[in-house]
Amino acid sequence: TFDGAGHTISGLYFNENRNYAGLFGLVEDGNVRNVGVTDSYICGQNYIGGICGKKSYGTIADSYNKGVVSGTGYVAGICGINYGTVENCYNTGKVTASEEYAGGICGRNYTTISNCYCMKDGNIQGIGLNDGYFNGVTAMTEERFQSGEAAYKLGKAFFQTLGADSFPVFDSTHH
């Protein structure tokens, strides 16, 4: 388990013609929680995500991405391809894929995604292709993020001071 304890990581730069890139490129069996990626650029081939390129088993929870994520396919703000669980996460970073399966939260999902939010961005939806179960991937405008709606819905790990915080931030009293 990687627990970021409410910390953010900024300045990541990855630009190689390789698969499996993100804060974590490939997580076979484990959990990632309470971490944010900001002011970063992650670009690769397939299975590219702000938090994780490919996730098998386990959970990504209470995390977010505000960086740029780009690739050929299976590209997303949180997890490029998901075989585990993604919950209580958000992405406001720019996501692009030159071929297929790009999503604000997940490029391709095979299992469960719940209570996640992403910035509306042209044709990019919350999930590029869904083969699993999800009950709450919501695309929001920047104004809705600024209103505190996402912070409220994300739950106890996040808070937002209206007028001061444009997006949800970690609530250090709950870590």
Side-chain angles (χ1 to χ4, degrees):
T1 296
F2 175 85
D3 188 336
H7 293 281
T8 59
I9 296 170
S10 64
L12 293 177
Y13 181 84
F14 181 88
N15 188 11
E16 291 188 25
N17 193 22
R18 293 182 42 197
N19 293 332
Y20 309 111
L23 174 61
F24 298 98
L26 174 62
V27 177
E28 286 294 330
D29 186 13
N31 301 307
V32 178
R33 62 182 67 255
N34 303 316
V35 65
V37 174
T38 64
D39 301 320
S40 296
Y41 179 81
I42 301 168
C43 180
Q45 190 87 30
N46 295 300
Y47 317 112
I48 312 300
I51 302 296
C52 183
K54 179 182 176 188
K55 176 74 182 90
S56 301
Y57 313 110
T59 301
I60 298 173
D62 301 321
S63 297
Y64 66 87
N65 174 62
K66 293 182 183 178
V68 174
V69 183
S70 181
T72 304
Y74 306 98
V75 181
I78 301 298
C79 186
I81 189 165
N82 175 48
Y83 292 93
T85 299
V86 178
E87 60 189 15
N88 304 326
C89 294
Y90 78 90
N91 173 61
T92 58
K94 178 81 172 160
V95 175
T96 58
S98 61
E99 290 185 13
E100 58 188 3
Y101 308 131
I105 298 299
C106 188
R108 188 163 189 178
N109 175 51
Y110 285 99
T111 50
T112 304
I113 297 178
S114 63
N115 196 39
C116 292
Y117 303 88
C118 63
M119 185 80 78
K120 279 189 177 182
D121 187 12
N123 293 329
I124 302 294
Q125 302 297 313
I127 299 174
L129 179 64
N130 185 49
D131 294 319
Y133 174 77
F134 70 99
N135 64 352
V137 178
T138 304
M140 295 183 159
T141 62
E142 186 171 354
E143 291 78 21
R144 283 180 69 190
F145 268 103
Q146 290 174 349
S147 75
E149 180 181 352
Y152 174 76
K153 290 180 176 182
L154 283 165
K156 67 181 181 179
F158 296 94
F159 79 99
Q160 186 171 357
T161 302
L162 298 180
D165 300 318
S166 296
F167 300 101
V169 294
F170 286 118
D171 183 352
S172 61
T173 63
H174 291 95
H175 291 283

